[in-house]
């Protein structure tokens, strides 16, 4: 593995992610923000945050697989959620859990969740981008 995930002493341990990732691989991969489109460009889960989160994570996984990687290679995730409020965390977590179950991988790299006013298409509720390092 090119990525080691760490929770350094003195920082809180947060179950959803690790505070630091250490990359030792040789290929740096930047995955463009993935929205809830299927392979035909049709929005999946219109109005359903959990379904859209799930599709976004699946799309990131497909992008990584296309260059020989997986979520195990992700050094950092950035997630943009339209009209974010903390009460949406349960739906967000549900979508992540469903994608994780489908892929058989846990998603715990360092991450940043950013609330935004809107995304590129009005029906998109979330966008996920990733930086990965592959051996």
């Amino acid at each position: 593995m090119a990525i080691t995930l760490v929770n350094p002493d003195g920082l809180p341990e947060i179950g959803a992610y690790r505070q630091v990732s250490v990359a030792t691989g040789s290929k740096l991969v930047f995955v463009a923000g993935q929205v809830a489109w299927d392979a035909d460009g049709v929005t999946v889960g219109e109005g359903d945050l959990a379904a859209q989160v799930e599709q976004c994570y699946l799309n990131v996984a497909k992008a990584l697989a296309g260059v020989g990687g997986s979520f195990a290679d992700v050094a950092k995730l950035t997630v943009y959620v339209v009209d974010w409020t903390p009460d949406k965390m349960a739906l967000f977590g549900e979508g992540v859990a469903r994608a994780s179950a489908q892929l058989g991988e846990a998603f715990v790299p360092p991450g940043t969740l950013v609330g935004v006013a809107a995304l590129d298409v009005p029906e998109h509720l979330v966008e996920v981008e990733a930086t990965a390092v592959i051996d």
Side-chain angles (χ1 to χ4, degrees):
M1 281 295 148
I3 300 293
T4 302
L5 301 175
V6 181
N7 275 322
D9 290 340
L11 293 175
E13 290 200 23
I14 299 171
Y17 63 89
R18 302 301 177 264
Q19 295 283 5
V20 176
S21 64
V22 179
T24 57
S26 58
K27 184 172 26 173
L28 192 56
V29 178
F30 299 93
V31 177
Q34 297 297 303
V35 294
W37 276 332
D38 65 12
D40 296 319
V42 175
T43 298
V44 172
E46 191 168 338
D48 182 342
L49 180 61
Q52 288 200 16
V53 168
E54 177 183 10
Q55 185 66 42
C56 290
Y57 274 74
L58 294 174
N59 288 348
V60 169
K62 289 174 191 170
L64 291 167
V67 296
S70 72
F71 259 97
D73 301 306
V74 172
K76 174 82 164 61
L77 287 174
T78 304
V79 179
Y80 304 92
V81 181
V82 173
D83 297 327
W84 175 257
T85 56
D87 64 305
K88 293 181 180 179
M89 185 56 85
L91 289 171
F92 179 82
E94 179 185 330
V96 171
R98 292 188 334 213
S100 178
Q102 282 189 59
L103 297 169
E105 295 189 63
F107 312 129
V108 294
T112 301
L113 190 151
V114 181
V116 296
L119 292 170
D120 63 330
V121 176
E123 61 264 18
H124 291 161
L125 303 175
V126 63
E127 185 168 332
V128 179
E129 65 182 25
T131 302
V133 180
I134 301 172
D135 283 325

